[in-house]
Amino acid sequence: MAEAVLPDVRAAQRRVISTVRVSGVLNGDGLALWREAGCGEWKATTAEISADLDLLEVPHTIVTAARFPLANAPTTQLRRGEEVRITRSDLTHLVRWMPSLRQSIDNIPDDCPGWDFTVFQPTAQGMAVVGLSLAADWPSWSETQARAARLLCAECDYDLRRRDDEDHLPYNIPLPEKPSKVRLLCGRCCNDGLTEMERLAALAGQSA
């Protein structure tokens, strides 16, 4: 006998399935659904998606995430947004409502990137590892989109999304006059961040 489902739960199921089919991103960490801040009434917000997932009893989180600026945008700033994320281990709760998702999950490659785009951050105390708040589809952005999001080396234009060459790992080396603005360089162009770390340590020593 088919399981009895309340009408509001069935409606939530339909909305979630439609949203996943249109904008869901699967990767090594799970499923993500991105929404730009102030997306308007024509698209479900992260809060509305979250409410539907609560009805379906699907564990999830909402995180801040940014995407590349549009080509015709008047600004070069990244587009601010939020992302609903369901971890890979929790996707079984969603498969209950969307069985067709099972095959897609099983087809995720073992070496598929996850949600985090991590970079090395030189500090006066040493080298830290930090994550940039990017939308989960960052690995699939075109080179033009990645450049607009400043994910290419600011010096040699190397695509920093590639992790197959340890000489080109990403480091955040802001310009001294803009210390809070992210500026990514590959390790080859910034001496693996050591020069910047020494500069910051020297400044900290002078301040002391």
Side-chain angles (χ1 to χ4, degrees):
M1 181 180 296
E3 180 181 0
V5 178
L6 294 174
D8 58 341
V9 175
R10 187 66 75 194
Q13 177 189 16
R14 295 191 185 101
R15 288 191 295 267
V16 166
I17 289 176
S18 176
T19 302
V20 169
R21 285 176 174 167
V22 171
S23 56
V25 174
L26 272 173
N27 61 26
D29 285 336
L31 175 76
L33 301 158
W34 186 82
R35 287 293 181 267
E36 188 167 4
C39 60
E41 297 181 357
W42 58 276
K43 183 179 288 188
T45 65
T46 52
E48 291 169 334
I49 296 171
S50 177
D52 282 341
L53 290 173
D54 284 339
L55 277 176
L56 302 178
E57 299 182 344
V58 178
H60 61 281
T61 58
I62 298 177
V63 301
T64 300
R67 293 192 82 203
F68 53 86
L70 296 175
N72 59 351
T75 175
T76 61
Q77 295 297 315
L78 295 181
R79 288 182 288 155
R80 297 182 300 107
E82 291 183 328
E83 201 161 63
V84 178
R85 292 181 175 179
I86 305 171
T87 64
R88 192 165 179 174
S89 60
D90 285 330
L91 282 176
T92 53
H93 298 276
L94 183 58
V95 169
R96 172 192 173 194
W97 302 102
M98 190 177 179
S100 61
L101 190 62
R102 168 58 62 192
Q103 187 62 48
S104 298
I105 296 171
D106 292 342
N107 289 337
I108 298 175
D110 292 336
D111 59 350
C112 183
W115 291 326
D116 296 330
F117 183 89
T118 55
V119 304
F120 292 99
Q121 178 66 65
T123 71
Q125 293 74 37
M127 194 71 69
V129 179
V130 300
L132 299 187
S133 299
L134 299 178
D137 59 349
W138 62 263
S140 64
W141 295 350
S142 69
E143 186 172 301
T144 299
Q145 292 166 339
R147 180 177 290 106
R150 296 179 287 281
L151 300 184
L152 273 60
C153 176
E155 294 289 343
C156 71
D157 218 34
Y158 180 85
D159 192 336
L160 296 168
R161 294 174 297 172
R162 297 174 56 186
R163 298 301 176 97
D164 55 353
D165 185 347
E166 292 186 359
D167 289 338
H168 290 90
L169 295 177
Y171 292 80
N172 181 32
I173 313 293
L175 294 172
E177 61 271 22
K178 298 179 180 179
S180 61
K181 186 173 182 179
V182 173
R183 176 172 172 265
L184 299 184
L185 298 177
C186 72
R188 182 171 293 180
C189 288
C190 69
N191 188 30
D192 293 329
L194 297 177
T195 302
E196 176 67 3
M197 190 166 59
E198 293 169 356
R199 184 185 75 84
L200 294 173
L203 287 176
Q206 293 172 6
S207 299

